[in-house]
Amino acid sequence: MNDPLFNKPSELIIEGELQGNDKLRIKMLEDVSLMTQETKYQILNAMLKMHKYFEDYCGDLEISLNTINEIAANTQPLYIILDDTSTMETRAIRYHYACNWETDHGVEVMVLNGNQVIFVGNCGYTYGVLLASIDSALSLQDEELNFL
């Protein structure tokens, strides 16, 4: 499946409970395909903010990027994950990216209901917080390492 942010191939992962729920799975795939330009811009800006944070925090990085176009050129999609804690009312999709500007962890983006971006940060950061429930994912919006 093509990643909506970069229009490049990405591995689709459908988590456990969604395997047998055709209606929800189809709605979530529709959410992926209908990501708006505004949402894409918001994600890319958050990625740039994340890069600049690590540039300031870590000091000497191997690469310094200054625009969202540079971020896009240095980021590759890995996975689109349809999160099995989703319901028809609250559909969570996680996007994972490899990038040469954050080589330790990569970037994870979490989007609810197609276009509500609630997290942009290191891959795996949401795992312990989120998987208990989507409600806990909403609290990620206030986390220090959420670069929205």
Side-chain angles (χ1 to χ4, degrees):
M1 168 171 233
N2 274 1
D3 174 83
L5 190 59
F6 298 107
N7 198 29
K8 294 181 182 176
S10 187
E11 182 180 345
L12 176 65
I13 298 173
I14 301 171
E15 292 187 333
E17 296 294 320
L18 292 173
Q19 294 291 336
N21 191 336
D22 291 341
K23 192 173 181 181
L24 178 56
R25 189 174 67 242
I26 290 167
K27 181 63 177 161
M28 293 176 80
L29 291 171
E30 184 179 292
D31 287 342
V32 171
S33 67
L34 295 176
M35 184 182 281
T36 65
Q37 285 302 118
E38 181 180 329
T39 299
K40 294 173 187 180
Y41 185 76
Q42 181 184 13
I43 293 168
L44 287 169
N45 272 309
M47 287 179 173
L48 179 59
K49 182 179 173 184
M50 179 179 172
H51 169 65
K52 289 303 183 185
Y53 170 85
F54 285 112
E55 194 173 56
D56 291 344
Y57 182 77
C58 299
D60 187 24
L61 297 179
E62 292 181 25
I63 188 168
S64 179
L65 307 173
N66 296 300
T67 68
I68 61 172
N69 289 335
E70 290 176 330
I71 290 290
N74 289 279
T75 306
Q76 294 295 320
L78 293 174
Y79 308 110
I80 299 170
I81 303 169
L82 305 186
D83 194 281
D84 65 357
T85 61
S86 297
T87 65
M88 281 303 274
E89 295 75 33
T90 310
R91 301 172 306 279
I93 300 171
R94 300 190 325 266
Y95 300 89
H96 286 216
Y97 299 96
C99 42
N100 62 3
W101 50 270
E102 212 309 27
T103 56
D104 287 345
H105 302 99
V107 177
E108 181 172 1
V109 174
M110 185 178 300
V111 179
L112 293 182
N113 301 335
N115 286 294
Q116 182 186 354
V117 182
I118 63 166
F119 180 80
V120 176
N122 293 114
C123 282
Y125 184 78
T126 63
Y127 188 78
V129 177
L130 165 69
L131 293 184
S133 75
I134 291 174
D135 290 337
S136 64
L138 293 170
S139 69
L140 289 173
Q141 292 176 305
D142 299 323
E143 290 288 323
E144 178 182 339
L145 293 178
N146 186 356
F147 295 94
L148 284 177

